Amino acid sequence: MPWRALPGETPDPYRVWLSEVMLQQTTVRAVIPYFEKFVARWPTVQDLAKADRDDVLAAWAGLGYYSRARNLHACAQAIAARADTAFPEDEAALCALPGIGPYTAAAVAAIAFDQPATPVDGNIERVVSRLFAVTTPLPSAKSEIKRLAATLTPDERPGDFAQAMMDLGAMVCTPKNPSCLMCPLQSDCHAKHKGIESELPVKAVRPERPTRFGVAFLALREDGQVLLRKRPETGLLASMMEIPSTDWVDELLAADIALKAAPVRADWWAMPGQVTHTFTHFRLELLVFRAIVPVDAELTFWADASRCSWVARRDLADAALPSVMRKIIAHALKEN
Ligand code: SF4
């Protein structure tokens, strides 16, 4: 966890909320530098509310699941607009804020405000499914596990209990080879008694991700600037910056067809190999074309000039470029 209150320290709801949002679908190791960057740049929720949304998206770039960053900013603004400009303390009011779902509401209520709420993250889900030997496959078992977890939440120090359960799942009741001999719940653990702890939780077999294909165009101007485009306000990677590309479609595109979507008329050169990236619901394979273009290069109709900008190579690190776009840039420029 990037955030933990020291004994006697009053938890800061902003840091609890920020770490819980960042940790969704993301490892602790990946989150730590982002968490530190955010609290250094925006030390309070009011500071975050005042930030430019594009700056928040740029600071989030690389952490994935970008709707979290947009919701984070919207939520900060909603809190700053409240009469007391503070986080509400109860689960229901927290849940009404942008981007705060049942898990985050319960985590903030329990950890920041010591409310008797029961957050169930992946770690707690695993502990509870083993403790009660729940054999129903996930995700169908989620409501049963949540109900069982709630029966464990104590009236006293529910926040400490929630964090202890999260840590138990992360460090003792691990997905593989749980350390049952050092587990304080061993005598009550039904899965351990039955010898099925390593088989739980049962997960439904996921359908295989489909593959989509596209062609990306990296235009490098003679003065060293790269053409970027802002993605639409809604949909995948909304409002992030991108390397212009064709649509991502179900079948491989012929090069001559793809080149019609190039953002600049130029001598495009196909880079050897391809860029692959895995999103939650599909896998992406991209061919990458590169061209060196003059400073006065005109954008084509397909580029949608209103969303395009030329960015110096040295400034790309600070741009709101998601991981897949950084892969494309690295691939296209690797011989330079
Ligand atoms: Fe997990 Fe083993 Fe503890 Fe049961 S006894 S909760 S399986 S670590």
Side-chain angles (χ1 to χ4, degrees):
M1 291 283 291
W3 181 88
R4 275 282 188 269
L6 297 171
E9 184 188 358
T10 304
D12 175 354
Y14 171 58
R15 291 179 179 228
V16 174
W17 164 69
L18 184 61
S19 69
E20 291 300 339
V21 172
M22 286 184 166
L23 282 165
Q24 291 162 17
Q25 318 282 338
T26 313
T27 63
V28 172
R29 181 193 282 219
V31 162
I32 287 173
Y34 284 88
F35 180 81
E36 289 175 347
K37 178 168 60 176
F38 267 68
V39 294
R41 190 164 175 187
W42 299 296
T44 67
V45 70
Q46 292 80 14
D47 293 324
L48 184 61
K50 281 186 236 154
D52 188 289
R53 192 181 73 158
D54 285 344
D55 289 341
V56 176
L57 288 175
W60 193 277
L63 201 54
Y65 299 96
Y66 295 96
S67 60
R68 291 183 299 172
R70 292 188 296 278
N71 283 329
L72 193 80
H73 189 239
C75 185
Q77 291 189 321
I79 290 165
R82 283 166 52 87
D84 59 1
T85 71
F87 278 84
E89 296 191 10
D90 70 275
E91 253 181 296
L94 283 161
C95 229
L97 291 166
I100 295 195
Y103 167 74
T104 308
V108 174
I111 298 170
F113 301 114
D114 223 16
Q115 300 278 324
T118 308
V120 180
D121 68 354
N123 286 318
I124 295 181
E125 200 166 69
R126 184 168 57 256
V127 174
V128 171
S129 73
R130 289 173 174 170
L131 193 58
F132 292 93
V134 175
T135 53
T136 308
L138 288 166
S140 304
K142 277 185 179 290
S143 57
E144 182 186 2
I145 290 173
K146 177 137 178 96
R147 181 183 60 75
L148 292 168
T151 66
L152 303 173
T153 300
D155 293 334
E156 280 186 32
R157 299 170 59 194
D160 287 344
F161 177 76
Q163 292 179 86
M165 286 289 277
M166 289 174 186
D167 288 349
L168 185 78
M171 290 183 278
V172 178
C173 193
T174 47
K176 289 181 185 161
N177 305 318
S179 305
C180 300
L181 287 179
M182 62 165 66
C183 178
L185 304 178
Q186 188 190 163
S187 60
D188 295 315
C189 181
H190 286 71
K192 177 65 186 160
H193 291 165
K194 294 179 178 180
I196 57 170
E197 66 273 15
S198 294
E199 295 161 33
L200 300 181
V202 180
K203 293 186 179 168
V205 180
R206 275 189 171 191
E208 212 173 289
R209 288 184 180 92
T211 299
R212 292 190 193 161
F213 305 89
V215 176
F217 301 96
L218 186 129
L220 179 62
R221 238 169 40 176
E222 286 167 342
D223 62 354
Q225 303 211 7
V226 172
L227 182 65
L228 298 185
R229 184 168 63 187
K230 190 167 190 178
R231 289 179 63 84
E233 287 285 310
T234 55
L236 185 68
L237 308 177
S239 303
M240 299 296 287
M241 300 304 285
E242 67 173 0
I243 298 297
S245 76
T246 62
D247 288 342
W248 300 343
V249 294
D250 295 336
E251 293 184 356
L252 269 174
L253 289 164
D256 56 334
I257 305 250
L259 280 168
K260 288 184 180 158
V264 182
R265 286 192 216 300
D267 287 333
W268 290 97
W269 186 58
M271 299 296 297
Q274 59 186 11
V275 168
T276 61
H277 191 79
T278 303
F279 292 97
T280 312
H281 298 298
F282 68 95
R283 187 175 165 276
L284 180 64
E285 289 185 10
L286 290 170
L287 291 176
V288 178
F289 282 74
R290 185 182 73 185
I292 311 285
V293 300
V295 172
D296 60 357
E298 275 190 30
L299 301 183
T300 63
F301 168 78
W302 299 106
D304 191 354
S306 64
R307 293 192 287 126
C308 288
S309 52
W310 292 95
V311 176
R313 282 178 67 171
R314 65 177 174 280
D315 294 331
L316 290 175
D318 297 325
L321 285 160
S323 299
V324 61
M325 299 302 158
R326 294 192 184 276
K327 285 186 192 176
I328 295 169
I329 293 169
H331 186 74
L333 299 178
K334 62 185 168 191
E335 290 178 356
N336 285 17

